[in-house]
Amino acid sequence: MITVSVKWQKELFKDVEIDTSQPPYVFKVQLFDLTGVPPERQKIMVKGGLLKDDADWERLGVKAGQKLMMMGTADEIVKTPEKGTVFVEDLPEEEQVAAVGHTAGLFNLGNTCYMNSTLQCLHSVPELKSALIDYSHSGRNNDVDQSSHMLTVATRDLFSELDKSVKPVAPMQFWMVLRKKYPQFGQLHNGVFMQQDAEECWTQILYTLSQSLRSPGSSENTDAVKALFGVELKSRIYCQESNEESSETESVYSLKCHISQEVNHLHEGLKHALKSELEKASAALGRSAVYLKESRINALPRYLTVQFVRFFWKRESNQKAKILRKVDYPLELDVYDLCSDDLKKKLEAPRQFLRDEEGKKLGLKVNEKSSVRKESDVKMSDAEGSSNGGGEPSVAPMEEGEKEPQMTGVYDLVAVLTHKGRSADSGHYVGWVKQENGKWIEFDDDNPKPRIQDDITRLSGGGDWHMAYIIMYKARVVSL
């Protein structure tokens, strides 16, 4: 790490740090934060000519205290016209976000699309943003290490910056802290940061937040992340050879969709993944034996995440290979038949009410005997993006004194993280996120683009186009 000064127009920026282990593009992103000049417009004079994005700092021989010259024009600051119509560009930036209908994109800092797409999907969860806003230095749990604390703060600050901006944001601070916490994301190849697996990034971020966002002083040590994303699985483990049987309960942050020749749809892949074989010691037989493990969902999360198991290790080439097979997934997912018997009983009344409401929308007459409650006693809550198609909530807002919303087992798709390419450690990742207004936005790094619903269903695979790798559903709930 060396420190230089940078002369730009009439301004002189002193003590600008250069991390010589990173490509010059990262330095340009820092200057973008200082000057507003996008990296592609920057012309920085160094020995031998202009500074290139992928140049080698050691060969350039830049020394501490050296003065660098930069040329380039910053993005124009929009001025309010003296008279006439007020355009979107003339509004304060926070108002521009609301007018545009989506928040900002994220600059790619050098093969960081895996991180950008993960962050855009997680940023779409308002309850997670609320938990992060409540997180403060004073509220830090003593059990949380400093690097986890810093990553949580960086996530909070980046989400806040995205909410206030329509121009692309450079996630520099977050990226630096992420690499410090998880060094595998800082791997270099020929001086350039390597592409990483988005699923690993997603998992590590959620794990860190789950540690930080626990309520201090709580007897149950409430975990906000577990409440939002945690799926409780109840498993029966038995051995046909010895008739031994046991059960266990575990909590996971995502379900897996296994892909094989028999799997054409998400639901089939989920069923396959909930059954597995394992080998372990048998007390009855005095040796190891094969056990069958059958799992059922015993508690549902507010946001259900599913990973398509598309990558496997190919020994011949010694690298991760990708399964390109097409696996369809629905905009509306019902997981009732994947649930335990105990959970199914809890879901019956909310599901009956949900069916009655859907029937009313279609003009069907509801049998009062089958209805769980009178309409005045029961209302739907927070079913954004439900099958009404328009994207507007088909629900009444929760009022003070109302009971906790009840799960129905029905979920609506709100985010898709896709991968394009043949290997997890190469190719390109993109986030596709449903906005509060029901519109879909493709977040391809710093270039958000509006998309239609049909674009989302075409991401199921079967070729070299972007295909779903991680998908996220939001629970459709009712208040009884």
Side-chain angles (χ1 to χ4, degrees):
M1 190 80 74
I2 61 173
T3 302
V4 299
S5 60
V6 179
K7 179 75 167 61
W8 175 65
Q9 295 181 356
K10 296 180 180 179
E11 297 187 63
L12 179 64
F13 298 95
K14 298 180 180 179
D15 300 326
V16 181
E17 290 186 342
I18 297 178
D19 187 344
T20 54
S21 68
Q22 300 180 9
Y25 182 80
V26 174
F27 176 60
K28 290 185 177 183
V29 173
Q30 289 175 253
L31 294 180
F32 170 65
D33 285 339
L34 291 173
T35 64
V37 180
E40 63 272 14
R41 289 193 210 154
Q42 294 177 19
K43 294 182 179 179
I44 302 170
M45 307 301 295
V46 292
K47 183 181 178 181
L50 297 178
L51 178 63
K52 295 182 179 180
D53 292 350
D54 57 353
D56 186 342
W57 284 114
E58 290 188 12
R59 291 186 179 179
L60 293 175
V62 176
K63 298 178 181 179
Q66 187 171 334
K67 184 177 179 180
L68 302 178
M69 298 288 293
M70 187 184 89
M71 295 179 288
T73 55
D75 286 332
E76 291 184 15
I77 300 173
V78 180
K79 297 181 180 179
T80 306
E82 296 178 7
K83 295 180 182 179
T85 307
V86 178
F87 295 96
V88 171
E89 293 84 355
D90 302 323
L91 296 170
E93 201 151 11
E94 288 188 41
E95 292 182 31
Q96 288 186 40
V97 174
V100 170
H102 63 81
T103 52
L106 290 165
F107 279 113
N108 191 316
L109 304 178
N111 285 331
T112 58
C113 58
Y114 69 93
M115 179 185 80
N116 290 351
S117 53
T118 294
L119 288 169
Q120 291 289 9
C121 290
L122 293 177
H123 174 252
S124 71
V125 179
E127 296 92 337
L128 181 60
K129 288 193 284 188
S130 296
L132 284 165
I133 290 170
D134 292 339
Y135 183 80
S136 64
H137 295 267
S138 59
R140 178 186 167 193
N141 191 328
N142 291 331
D143 295 334
V144 177
D145 63 274
Q146 180 66 12
S147 60
S148 295
H149 168 67
M150 293 301 293
L151 184 58
T152 304
V153 170
T155 308
R156 179 195 67 194
D157 293 346
L158 179 58
F159 281 7
S160 176
E161 191 175 359
L162 283 173
D163 282 335
K164 297 174 183 176
S165 179
V166 289
K167 293 180 181 177
V169 172
M172 179 62 65
Q173 182 62 26
F174 179 90
W175 190 44
M176 291 175 68
V177 176
L178 178 70
R179 286 183 287 123
K180 187 172 183 179
K181 173 67 178 174
Y182 299 107
Q184 65 265 36
F185 296 121
Q187 291 177 309
L188 292 169
H189 181 67
N190 295 329
V192 178
F193 284 101
M194 295 172 62
Q195 179 72 283
Q196 301 292 334
D197 188 344
E199 191 274 332
E200 183 182 2
C201 182
W202 184 302
T203 300
Q204 299 288 31
I205 291 173
L206 274 192
Y207 174 76
T208 301
L209 296 182
S210 73
Q211 302 300 302
S212 304
L213 299 181
R214 288 176 176 169
S215 301
S218 169
S219 58
E220 297 181 1
N221 211 19
T222 307
D223 182 345
V225 172
K226 185 177 180 180
L228 288 173
F229 302 98
V231 184
E232 184 181 290
L233 295 177
K234 189 175 183 180
S235 303
R236 173 178 174 249
I237 304 168
Y238 63 101
C239 177
Q240 292 178 322
E241 199 176 353
S242 65
N243 291 325
E244 291 172 286
E245 185 174 321
S246 61
S247 63
E248 68 177 28
T249 301
E250 60 181 319
S251 183
V252 297
Y253 288 142
S254 66
L255 295 179
K256 307 294 184 186
C257 175
H258 285 183
I259 302 174
S260 66
Q261 291 299 320
E262 296 79 38
V263 174
N264 297 303
H265 193 273
L266 170 65
H267 215 275
E268 297 167 333
L270 290 174
K271 280 186 175 180
H272 277 269
L274 291 174
K275 292 182 179 181
S276 61
E277 288 187 353
L278 56 126
E279 187 174 330
K280 66 174 188 171
S282 165
L285 300 173
R287 56 175 171 80
S288 63
V290 175
Y291 287 73
L292 299 178
K293 182 178 180 180
E294 293 185 345
S295 303
R296 287 288 178 267
I297 300 171
N298 204 44
L300 291 166
R302 196 60 180 267
Y303 291 85
L304 180 64
T305 305
V306 180
Q307 179 209 350
F308 289 89
V309 186
R310 288 199 174 274
F311 298 105
F312 65 97
W313 191 258
K314 204 169 185 178
R315 290 181 181 177
E316 309 91 79
S317 56
N318 201 33
Q319 65 179 9
K320 284 182 182 177
K322 185 176 179 181
I323 301 171
L324 302 177
R325 183 179 177 82
K326 180 179 180 181
V327 180
D328 290 319
Y329 54 88
L331 295 170
E332 177 187 307
L333 176 67
D334 190 347
V335 296
Y336 179 79
D337 65 328
L338 304 178
C339 298
S340 66
D341 291 339
D342 289 341
L343 181 53
K344 284 180 178 178
K345 290 177 183 177
K346 294 177 184 177
L347 295 176
E348 284 176 4
R351 288 173 68 83
Q352 182 60 55
F353 174 69
L354 192 61
R355 283 193 292 268
D356 291 345
E357 288 299 301
E358 293 296 328
K360 288 177 185 177
K361 287 179 193 175
L362 297 172
L364 302 177
K365 189 175 181 180
V366 177
N367 184 345
E368 290 185 9
K369 291 182 181 180
S370 70
S371 184
V372 289
R373 299 276 177 90
K374 290 183 180 179
E375 190 173 345
S376 59
D377 295 331
V378 142
K379 63 176 70 177
M380 290 183 66
S381 167
D382 205 15
E384 295 151 289
S386 61
S387 54
N388 57 8
E392 295 184 11
S394 57
V395 304
M398 290 291 289
E399 296 174 2
E400 191 175 345
E402 285 188 341
K403 294 182 180 179
E404 187 72 19
Q406 302 292 310
M407 292 289 180
T408 61
V410 179
Y411 285 83
D412 296 296
L413 187 68
V414 291
V416 180
L417 189 154
T418 59
H419 178 265
K420 183 181 181 182
R422 297 274 170 159
S423 169
D425 301 323
S426 62
H428 187 54
Y429 290 98
V430 169
W432 312 66
V433 179
K434 191 175 186 180
Q435 308 300 294
E436 290 184 3
N437 60 12
K439 306 296 183 183
W440 283 90
I441 300 295
E442 176 193 353
F443 286 99
D444 186 353
D445 288 328
D446 60 327
N447 185 27
K449 296 185 284 285
R451 292 295 186 185
I452 60 173
Q453 192 166 274
D454 287 347
D455 293 326
I456 309 306
T457 55
R458 282 196 285 264
L459 302 171
S460 52
D464 281 335
W465 178 236
H466 285 282
M467 61 185 70
Y469 183 33
I470 303 173
I471 57 179
M472 185 168 69
Y473 288 90
K474 183 175 184 179
R476 203 183 298 179
V477 297
V478 298
S479 185
L480 302 182

